[in-house]
Amino acid sequence: MKEPSDGAGRGTETYLVVGGSSGLGRSLAERFASAGHSLALVSSDFRDTRAMASDLALRWGVSVAPVALDLAAPELSLAALDDALVGLPPLAGLLLPAGMNRAADAPGQDPDAFAALTNANYSNICRIVDHYLPRLRLAPNGLIVGFGSIAATRGRTRNAAYSAAKRALQSYFESLRHSLAASNIRVQFYVVGYLDTNLAFGQRTALPRASPQRLADCVYRRRSSDLGVLYYPAFWYPVCMMLRALPWPIFRRLSF
Amino acid sequence: MGRNDVVETPLRQSRFVSFDGAVSSSNSHQRPDRYRHLEADFGSRKRIARGAGLSYAAASFGQGSVVQEMSAFDRLLDFDPATRMVRVESGFTVGCLLDWAGRQGLYFPVLPGYPLITVGGCIAADVHGKNPLRDGTFSDWVESMTLFHPAHGLQSIDRTSRQELFEATCGGFGLTGLIVDATLRLTPLPATNVSIRHLAVASLCASVEELRGNPDLDFGYSWHDGAARGSGFGRGIVFFGTWTDEPCDNPPRRYRPMSAASRGRLPVSLWNRATARIANGGFRRLAIRRVTETKSPFDAAFPFAGQTLYHRFYGRPGLAEVQVLVPDEAVDAFVDELTTLVHRIDPPLVMMSVKRFMGRQRSLTISGRGSLFALDLARDRATARFLPEFDALMLDVGAQPNVAKDSRLPAAIAARALPHRDSFRERLVRLDPDRLYGSELSQRLEL
């Protein structure tokens, strides 16, 4: 597979960033736009997406299409996104950092709240991948990047549906990678630790928070690698392995 | 991560400190990064917007207020090349504005002294640039704004459609609502660089005369040795800047961002009468030796960006800055009385500066025409004795204080010295009966 250099594909290919108006999604959008790539940005509030699109277009001179989609909704229509992509260069990649979290995510929760979490963190992300897979097969170097969470390492009382959905997403990406192994599409999955975004703002975190800009830069630099699953920051890999290896009698006593 | 990540607006408890190091407070802290966060329901709790947090006064925090830090609202929203109007979010910094506008062949004429200062902060404090007599103040270049207030939502305001609200917001220190974005007027970039001429002067009055005699220069301000006493008191350098296409003398300096916290990292102040005398003497000799220098627009606009030692040397004890607008007819009397006062109390005065000024705003900021004098002092007991007497001198000569520069200005002095303070307060009550926006500054000035 051809290794694109920094800025390769400038102005000739489009990346779709789902959750692209804040946090990691915003950093990814900024990094790819700064390298000259056209973008389609998705978030649920059009005001945020429009502001990001204007900024990236004015700063970097790239084409950016803003789209509003509610990933938590049970029925996801991608018609608006399809329309937005019509005016842009061919789709080359999907960057899917979107997610949803809520404080009261514990077993026994309201079914609508449970469905919203699984829709936003798993099923609608997969739906977007499935929808755009035929287009990516046409791209010379297709890319699909999913983002999981260290919270999904083991099931805990907190983040029950969120963690389950993220673990399901990781499994789906493994299947995706397997099925696309012989194709021109690279499938990458980042298991992300604490990031310095609003998700962790106001929380005490046991380990340091990573910069979303640095992660976005890592994703951009390694976009042509067949890296499979990558823990970010890397120190989370041994931490998660240890957590996974803990016997139940010890794990059940932990509170985190 | 994505828009859906945060269901509720996240808050944390943070400690804030004014840039001069004198005021600090622990507040609920919100860092909105999406519009829905701006609309978060804080009930009847007071709130206040925060830009870069570089105001000398505690204008962006205060006991009991939720601090809304606008750093993520830093985007370019629109640009019309035909009218040269650019719309930016309030967290957009003046350094980015200078850089981006320069790449379009444009320029924004009113730039305060540090690149991280935000557009929202510039409007709220109605800051000035390097020749406010000619260029006016920041708000003169603002065409319109989007303002958020919980009772009214997002409102577009300009000088004609919501005149009273617009005027109260320009120089209103964030007390009318949250400035979300602003449309600014740019001008053609006159040239690629700035040539700065140094002129040695023997007194503060001599600087005023020189600046009066060159009202149309692109940059015009002075620096004075605050440590000199006797006949040397007031000696200094006047800097006259003009645009030029000559190349820069030096490559751009490295720029290491400074915050209120990093400024005060040294546990003690390194400025005292002796160190100020040595440093000022060296600075003056260097400036006299080099008659002209050519700088990039960035280095000319932000002289402290590449040189942060001056502020860092004040350390944790901090500095006391006062800046006053002295009417033309009172300059001689003011300088005479100031000279007497400094010699009598002998505070650790490090430097002084002078600019010519013209302000048109009718809110909490200085307004009218005159000469703007700034004094920087290290904090000690002599400074504590000096400042109240300086306030009395200011009132005697009919001068106005810049409330953004003075974190201890008492309400009674502000009430007597600021021409629009009372009408501003009445406007606030009319515009926001519940007074949802508040800071230490608004509490101290009894607004």
Side-chain angles (χ1 to χ4, degrees), chain B residues 85 87 123 139-148 154-170 176 179 181-185 361-362 427 431:
Chain B
M85 300 278 191
R87 187 167 152 241
I123 297 169
S139 302
D140 290 332
W141 298 83
V142 178
E143 279 299 304
S144 60
M145 284 180 265
T146 302
L147 193 72
F148 176 77
L154 292 162
Q155 309 173 82
S156 290
I157 60 171
D158 59 37
R159 288 180 200 284
T160 50
S161 68
R162 297 292 308 274
Q163 187 187 2
E164 183 177 45
L165 183 55
F166 187 90
E167 286 183 0
T169 303
C170 295
T176 56
I179 301 168
D181 64 57
T183 301
L184 311 174
R185 251 182 313 126
Q361 305 313 320
R362 297 195 295 129
R427 278 178 168 185
L431 293 166

Side-chain angles (χ1 to χ4, degrees), chain A residues 168-182:
Chain A
L169 187 69
Q170 184 167 355
S171 175
Y172 183 83
F173 265 72
E174 193 172 19
S175 301
L176 197 62
R177 187 183 180 210
H178 199 238
S179 71
L180 296 174

Side-chain angles (χ1 to χ4, degrees), chain A residues 19 21-26 43-45 47-48 51-52 54-55 58-59 70-71 97-102 148 166 192 196-199 201-202 209, chain B residues 1-8 10-12 29-37 39 72-79 89 92 96 100 103-104 154:
Chain A
S21 68
S22 63
L24 175 58
R26 176 175 172 165
S43 80
S44 71
D45 191 332
R47 296 173 300 179
D48 297 318
M52 275 309 299
S54 305
D55 181 70
L58 286 166
R59 272 187 215 260
D70 184 4
L71 291 183
M100 179 179 173
N101 203 348
R102 79 169 83 235
K166 286 291 189 188
V192 181
D196 188 17
T197 66
N198 255 331
L199 194 60
F201 189 74
R209 298 168 196 192
Chain B
M1 293 190 197
R3 158 76 188 71
N4 292 302
D5 274 339
V6 182
V7 176
E8 295 149 358
L11 290 175
R12 76 175 179 202
H29 180 193
Q30 184 205 29
R31 200 172 60 178
D33 62 2
R34 57 199 75 182
Y35 276 83
R36 208 166 291 173
H37 286 169
E39 297 162 341
F73 277 75
D74 62 344
R75 295 167 288 205
L76 278 159
L77 297 180
D78 200 8
F79 173 57
E89 288 180 326
F92 199 69
C96 287
W100 182 83
R103 282 189 270 126
Q104 321 303 316
L154 292 162

Side-chain angles (χ1 to χ4, degrees), chain A residues 53-187:
Chain A
S54 305
D55 181 70
L56 297 174
L58 286 166
R59 272 187 215 260
W60 304 109
V62 294
S63 299
V64 187
V67 179
L69 279 182
D70 184 4
L71 291 183
E75 295 296 324
L76 184 71
S77 167
L78 297 175
L81 190 49
D82 288 342
D83 289 347
L85 286 167
V86 168
L88 296 172
L91 189 66
L94 307 179
L95 309 170
L96 305 159
M100 179 179 173
N101 203 348
R102 79 169 83 235
D105 174 17
Q109 65 188 295
D110 171 75
D112 289 342
F114 179 86
L117 286 168
T118 51
N119 289 338
N121 292 302
Y122 169 59
S123 49
N124 280 335
I125 303 284
C126 299
R127 163 117 173 73
I128 290 170
V129 172
D130 291 342
H131 184 78
Y132 289 109
L133 207 48
R135 295 193 194 199
L136 291 178
R137 289 186 193 276
L138 301 176
N141 293 293
L143 175 67
I144 305 173
V145 188
F147 294 87
S149 168
I150 48 124
T153 302
R154 286 191 77 163
R156 300 168 300 144
T157 307
R158 280 183 289 162
N159 303 125
Y162 172 82
S163 301
K166 286 291 189 188
R167 211 190 294 183
L169 187 69
Q170 184 167 355
S171 175
Y172 183 83
F173 265 72
E174 193 172 19
S175 301
L176 197 62
R177 187 183 180 210
H178 199 238
S179 71
L180 296 174
S183 77
N184 57 341
I185 302 172
R186 290 168 307 287
V187 178

Side-chain angles (χ1 to χ4, degrees), chain B residues 42-197:
Chain B
F42 297 125
S44 59
R45 286 178 76 179
K46 285 199 184 294
R47 68 227 49 200
I48 193 71
R50 181 174 176 86
L54 292 170
S55 173
Y56 285 73
S60 63
F61 61 88
Q63 209 60 50
S65 291
V66 177
V67 172
Q68 298 183 282
E69 182 193 323
M70 296 297 283
S71 54
F73 277 75
D74 62 344
R75 295 167 288 205
L76 278 159
L77 297 180
D78 200 8
F79 173 57
D80 182 350
T83 59
R84 296 193 290 261
M85 300 278 191
V86 64
R87 187 167 152 241
V88 298
E89 288 180 326
S90 60
F92 199 69
T93 66
V94 290
C96 287
L97 181 62
L98 177 70
D99 178 54
W100 182 83
R103 282 189 270 126
Q104 321 303 316
L106 298 170
Y107 181 67
F108 189 77
V110 180
L111 294 168
Y114 200 69
L116 292 185
I117 296 171
T118 63
V119 165
C122 288
I123 297 169
D126 192 32
V127 302
H128 54 266
K130 303 296 180 287
N131 187 356
L133 181 71
R134 191 192 67 173
D135 300 327
T137 57
F138 198 95
S139 302
D140 290 332
W141 298 83
V142 178
E143 279 299 304
S144 60
M145 284 180 265
T146 302
L147 193 72
F148 176 77
H149 188 287
H152 311 292
L154 292 162
Q155 309 173 82
S156 290
I157 60 171
D158 59 37
R159 288 180 200 284
T160 50
S161 68
R162 297 292 308 274
Q163 187 187 2
E164 183 177 45
L165 183 55
F166 187 90
E167 286 183 0
T169 303
C170 295
F173 288 90
L175 299 175
T176 56
L178 182 70
I179 301 168
V180 179
D181 64 57
T183 301
L184 311 174
R185 251 182 313 126
L186 303 173
T187 63
L189 182 70
T192 52
N193 291 313
V194 180
S195 172
I196 296 179
R197 182 164 60 91

Side-chain angles (χ1 to χ4, degrees), chain B residues 13 15 86 110 189 200 280 310 325 401 439:
Chain B
Q13 205 65 20
R15 187 145 200 93
V86 64
V110 180
L189 182 70
N280 286 347
Y310 170 72
L325 176 64
S439 60

